[in-house]
Amino acid sequence: MDARFVASASSASRLPPPGPPEVAVAGRSNCGKSSLVNALTGRSKLARVSGTPGRTRELLFFAVTFPGTPELLLVDLPGYGYARASKQEQQAWGELIDRYIDTRETLRTLLLLLDARRDPAEEERELLRWAAQRELDVIVVLTKADKLKRSERRPAQDRARRSLELARTPLLVSVREPDSVVALREALVASALRDAAQAEPGPAS
Ligand SMILES: Nc1nc2c(ncn2[C@@H]2O[C@H](COP(=O)(O)OP(=O)(O)OP(=O)(O)O)[C@@H](O)[C@H]2O)c(=O)[nH]1
Ligand SMILES: [Mg+2]
């Protein structure tokens, strides 16, 4: 498994040139995006994690090669809904994420993260709408599973699935539970491979 930092971008006009297929990691501030990027890549200090919400304010691009798959870019998006940010800042972040999702030609998969203890809100629905418009593959993940009792887990998954009208049950993941990270990595790889297979030219006729 190989992972390295490629670029950061604080505005949609400064994105790195498009390259390998991209997986965007989106979610509310503090939901665990950067932690999960680190867990997925097995590199504890790749993306910066902080106890202070609103830490990641740029798009961070990481090139990752999981075993047996082509290289892909994991993109750690700035978290939305950070209460102490000004309205202006929140709007700027919304526009940045919106423009990135809307225009990034190499974006294939949206990894939407939601703290397992929270109910989905308008922002999550909006991201799912954008993803549907772009026909992105979507993987919804409930994070910080370790904060739930065993008996609370399945109901939380069912609730999120109903609330967001998902076709599939969301994954429940904790960076403290390695098996759950492995399961997510497999789902990501399947998504990446699906896209690679689609991109493959058909047999010459
Ligand atoms: N218990 C538990 N804590 C977690 C987990 N994942 C992340 N955290 C904690 O949640 C806090 C926020 O994590 P980050 O990874 O920085 O969250 P983020 O979504 O990148 O936040 P922003 O960059 O502000 O949008 C940190 O204190 C993490 O240690 C998890 O699976 N379990
Ligand atoms: Mg972050």
Side-chain angles (χ1 to χ4, degrees), residues 28-35 48-56 76 78-79 144-147 173-176:
R28 189 167 295 276
S29 182
N30 207 44
C31 72
K33 295 176 296 298
S34 300
S35 302
R48 205 174 335 155
V49 172
S50 168
T52 318
R55 185 64 165 199
T56 309
D76 186 4
K144 309 190 188 183
D146 58 283
K147 299 277 193 186
V173 174
S174 164
V175 298
R176 299 178 183 183

Side-chain angles (χ1 to χ4, degrees), residues 15 31 97 102 118 133 141 153 164 177 183 187:
L15 301 178
C31 72
I97 295 167
D102 218 35
R118 300 187 69 136
Q133 277 164 15
V141 169
R153 293 183 168 206
L164 292 171
E177 297 174 7

Side-chain angles (χ1 to χ4, degrees), residues 35 39 49 77 90 95 112 129 135-137 139 174 179 181 183 190 200-201:
S35 302
V49 172
L77 299 181
Q90 294 202 28
E95 279 166 17
L112 176 58
R129 277 197 298 274
E135 297 183 10
L136 300 178
D137 213 10
I139 301 173
S174 164
D179 289 355
V181 177
E200 203 117 356

Side-chain angles (χ1 to χ4, degrees), residues 177-194:
E177 297 174 7
D179 289 355
S180 72
V181 177
V182 169
L184 173 58
R185 197 181 292 137
E186 282 168 1
L188 264 189
V189 165
S191 172
L193 281 182
R194 191 191 78 127

